[in-house]
Amino acid sequence: MDNIGSKDSKLKIEEEENNDIKIQVWKYIFGFVEMAVIKCAIELKIGDTIEAHGGLMTLTELSSSLNCSPLLLHRILRFLIHRGIFKEEPTKSYAQTPMSRLLTSSGAHSLAPMHVLESSHVMLAPWHNLSAYLKANDGGSQPFEMAHGKDLWRYCAANSSHNKVMNEGMASFARVVIVPAVLERCGGVFEGVGSLVDVGGGNGSCLSVLVKAFPWIRGINFDLPHVVSVSQEYEGVRHVGGNMFDFVPKADAAFIMNALHDWDDEDCIKILKNCKEAIPEKTGKVIIVEVVIDEKDESMVSDIRLMLDMIMMAHTIKGKERTREEWAYVLQEAGFSRHTITPTSTIQSIIQGFV
């Protein structure tokens, strides 16, 4: 009887484990739903509307303000509340949460532009070409080019609307997530830096935050001409158009954030060599803000880093997130004598390369 009971118990455990696995697979199958529903909430401006009405709204009030079906809106809100995005008060009113505030479509602390970018049809289409790209054994076009006939950078140059979405999305990610983490943990890296060139700095909003935090810095925002030509003016920041593969403007230090991961090692080394030529021979340094992959780390943060590596594969020409060893290689090949890596409170680290 004991053996029978033991077998039954073992079978029950195996059955529960199989059910858990199936549920996990279902979540992968329907993983796109969360992105799509959050995009819907951003487009409807649910969070903005609740905030504008004092932070609490009933379903009737909200549906009336948004000109939406109350029955459909209730189902959208039920889904989002289950994920901690919005909450329902005992008064049957809806309110914001810290997560929903990050996804409002306006405000200095909004990540909505980044979500709008990644959920756009332009950025989603390349994912359908991922397997074809792998089968080509690096001999064919990359997924973005397969989908749109040109790479991401040429597409942005030719499509002003997506270029705007791209710049706003990347700027929000930098402004809300990366720069605060850099200032919190690594503000000391900017001590003694009189001039700083932000290589691939986008619209300059990131550099403007650094210059405001460290007012002794003269900022040079360096990016492609079609990017800087539509950038607003910031105090202490000068926009310069050009190509980082050709040159980098002279400065005490070069700052590169989320740009080197867009390129393979050969191109990465070329960019870093141009940075090295732009900074003083004895005191110059390059300050890199990028992901550092740790293949042994099984944390949620590490999982996001691996997701970003997949995004590089889908959206760039041989771009990738790098391990410590891979960062050491490109910095050494570019002529930097030593480097340090300092983790931050977010997914990126600060990598300093010294001449």
Side-chain angles (χ1 to χ4, degrees), residues 160-171:
S160 59
S161 59
H162 186 71
N163 184 54
K164 184 174 184 290
V165 171
M166 181 80 175
N167 290 334
E168 289 177 350
M170 297 309 297

Side-chain angles (χ1 to χ4, degrees), residues 49-83:
T49 304
I50 292 174
E51 200 70 23
H53 284 73
L56 280 176
M57 293 186 77
T58 65
L59 179 63
T60 300
E61 291 170 336
L62 191 55
S63 63
S64 177
S65 294
L66 299 176
N67 193 26
C68 287
S69 160
L71 293 177
L72 298 179
L73 182 59
H74 166 71
R75 289 162 63 187
I76 291 288
L77 286 165
R78 180 177 62 188
F79 180 87
L80 294 171
I81 287 168
H82 192 68
R83 284 153 182 79

Side-chain angles (χ1 to χ4, degrees), residues 93-155:
S93 297
Y94 296 104
Q96 293 245 64
T97 65
M99 200 182 306
S100 71
R101 287 190 177 92
L102 283 175
L103 294 167
T104 54
S105 60
S106 61
H109 302 291
S110 172
L111 279 173
M114 187 64 176
H115 189 92
V116 170
L117 169 65
E118 292 300 334
S119 62
S120 69
H121 72 277
V122 174
M123 303 305 266
L124 288 178
W127 291 102
H128 295 286
N129 302 311
L130 200 57
S131 58
Y133 176 54
L134 266 67
K135 288 183 177 180
N137 294 317
D138 293 337
S141 299
Q142 56 88 217
F144 192 96
E145 193 172 16
M146 289 182 193
H148 302 295
K150 49 177 70 76
D151 65 41
L152 176 60
W153 318 118
R154 288 188 295 133
Y155 186 91

Side-chain angles (χ1 to χ4, degrees), residues 1-301:
M1 292 293 292
D2 289 343
N3 288 337
I4 294 174
S6 177
K7 287 181 180 179
D8 288 343
S9 177
K10 186 177 179 181
L11 287 171
K12 186 175 181 180
I13 292 172
E14 289 178 352
E15 183 179 351
E16 289 175 352
E17 289 176 347
N18 287 334
N19 287 336
D20 289 342
I21 291 170
K22 288 175 184 176
I23 290 171
Q24 189 64 50
V25 171
W26 277 118
K27 290 189 71 174
Y28 292 146
I29 291 171
F30 296 124
F32 68 93
V33 175
E34 289 180 331
M35 171 182 271
V37 176
I38 291 171
K39 182 182 182 182
C40 172
I42 292 171
E43 291 176 340
L44 291 175
K45 296 184 181 294
I46 294 176
D48 301 81
T49 304
I50 292 174
E51 200 70 23
H53 284 73
L56 280 176
M57 293 186 77
T58 65
L59 179 63
T60 300
E61 291 170 336
L62 191 55
S63 63
S64 177
S65 294
L66 299 176
N67 193 26
C68 287
S69 160
L71 293 177
L72 298 179
L73 182 59
H74 166 71
R75 289 162 63 187
I76 291 288
L77 286 165
R78 180 177 62 188
F79 180 87
L80 294 171
I81 287 168
H82 192 68
R83 284 153 182 79
I85 306 171
F86 302 113
K87 61 182 176 180
E88 187 175 8
E89 300 290 2
T91 58
K92 297 297 181 181
S93 297
Y94 296 104
Q96 293 245 64
T97 65
M99 200 182 306
S100 71
R101 287 190 177 92
L102 283 175
L103 294 167
T104 54
S105 60
S106 61
H109 302 291
S110 172
L111 279 173
M114 187 64 176
H115 189 92
V116 170
L117 169 65
E118 292 300 334
S119 62
S120 69
H121 72 277
V122 174
M123 303 305 266
L124 288 178
W127 291 102
H128 295 286
N129 302 311
L130 200 57
S131 58
Y133 176 54
L134 266 67
K135 288 183 177 180
N137 294 317
D138 293 337
S141 299
Q142 56 88 217
F144 192 96
E145 193 172 16
M146 289 182 193
H148 302 295
K150 49 177 70 76
D151 65 41
L152 176 60
W153 318 118
R154 288 188 295 133
Y155 186 91
C156 286
N159 294 270
S160 59
S161 59
H162 186 71
N163 184 54
K164 184 174 184 290
V165 171
M166 181 80 175
N167 290 334
E168 289 177 350
M170 297 309 297
S172 74
F173 185 47
R175 183 177 61 250
V176 178
V177 178
I178 305 175
V179 174
V182 171
L183 297 179
E184 176 189 353
R185 295 278 185 92
C186 307
V189 302
F190 300 103
E191 292 181 4
V193 176
S195 58
L196 183 71
V197 55
D198 189 351
V199 182
N203 63 13
S205 62
C206 166
L207 184 58
S208 72
V209 175
L210 292 177
V211 169
K212 187 175 182 180
F214 308 107
W216 62 82
I217 292 179
R218 290 179 291 105
I220 303 168
N221 182 53
F222 181 61
D223 212 313
L224 294 168
H226 74 268
V227 175
V228 298
S229 64
V230 295
S231 299
Q232 73 178 75
E233 295 300 318
Y234 297 100
E235 185 176 351
V237 175
R238 178 168 61 93
H239 295 296
V240 176
N243 191 319
M244 60 187 172
F245 289 104
D246 298 328
F247 74 100
V248 169
K250 300 286 185 181
D252 293 336
F255 181 77
I256 316 177
M257 182 173 64
N258 284 354
L260 294 177
H261 68 174
D262 292 331
W263 308 98
D264 64 11
D265 287 352
E266 183 180 351
D267 286 334
C268 189
I269 291 166
K270 188 173 184 179
I271 296 166
L272 286 170
K273 283 183 176 180
N274 286 340
C275 289
K276 185 172 179 290
E277 291 180 6
I279 58 180
E281 289 185 7
K282 294 183 180 180
T283 60
K285 64 179 177 179
V286 60
I287 304 165
I288 303 166
V289 184
E290 290 272 10
V291 161
V292 178
I293 294 286
D294 181 351
E295 295 173 349
K296 296 181 180 179
D297 184 1
E298 297 182 357
S299 68
M300 185 181 296
V301 172

